[in-house]
Amino acid sequence: MIRQDGIDVHAHFLPKRYRTAYHHLGTPGPDGLAAWPDWSVGRALGTMDELGVELAILSISSPGVHVGDDRAATVLALGVNEDGAALAARHPDRFGFFASLPLPDVDSALDEIAYALDQLGAEGVVLLSNYHGTYLFDPRFRPVLDELDRRGAVVFLHPTSPPCWEQTAFGQPRSLIEGAPG
């Protein structure tokens, strides 16, 4: 194996509150996968060491934090962002994190941007390619994009299931339909 020390900016973490929220909804795994992967700090650090990754920027995978209603999404976003900040504080040389936003609730997303970037020390934010079929270029998301631009924030764009994925996934993980080839 060729060892290349570096930064992994596409590293997911699955805090208990995130898994619990989706377990209560009966979701078998993240965004169309058959099961929730086992995730632990120890396993993540071991894999990073094995692969020569010095620093991982953690983020929540699709389907994101909107679990059905805006209030629950706001609470879940706050919680997973605080979980990410706690991991980064415990392992500052190994982990950073991208904050999750409770979109499509724009007002709560703006509040979470301020809290996550100003108070929690997030490296940036993770945005999904669409939120329940509404894409980021929709005018209702303009205030969020403008605020991120005003701050010069790093934005990590993650694919998620597109509308009508049942007709377009062809047996593949549905979030891959909106992912970039590579």
Side-chain angles (χ1 to χ4, degrees), residues 47-141:
T47 300
M48 290 167 62
D49 290 342
E50 181 181 323
L51 297 175
V53 175
E54 291 178 30
L55 176 69
I57 309 300
L58 303 172
S59 61
I60 295 296
S61 182
S62 57
V65 296
H66 204 284
V67 293
D69 69 72
D70 290 347
R71 180 69 189 132
T74 298
V75 170
L76 187 56
L78 174 68
V80 299
N81 292 338
E82 289 177 344
D83 292 340
L87 277 171
R90 280 197 308 273
H91 303 277
D93 295 333
R94 302 307 305 273
F95 294 126
F97 77 102
F98 289 134
S100 293
L101 302 180
L103 289 170
D105 181 348
V106 169
D107 290 336
S108 293
L110 291 169
D111 291 342
E112 192 61 28
I113 288 168
Y115 179 64
L117 296 179
D118 298 341
Q119 303 297 314
L120 297 180
E123 309 297 329
V125 301
V126 58
L127 296 178
L128 299 178
S129 55
N130 78 80
Y131 291 89
H132 309 286
T134 302
Y135 286 82
L136 293 174
F137 55 79
D138 188 282
R140 75 184 87 178
F141 294 140

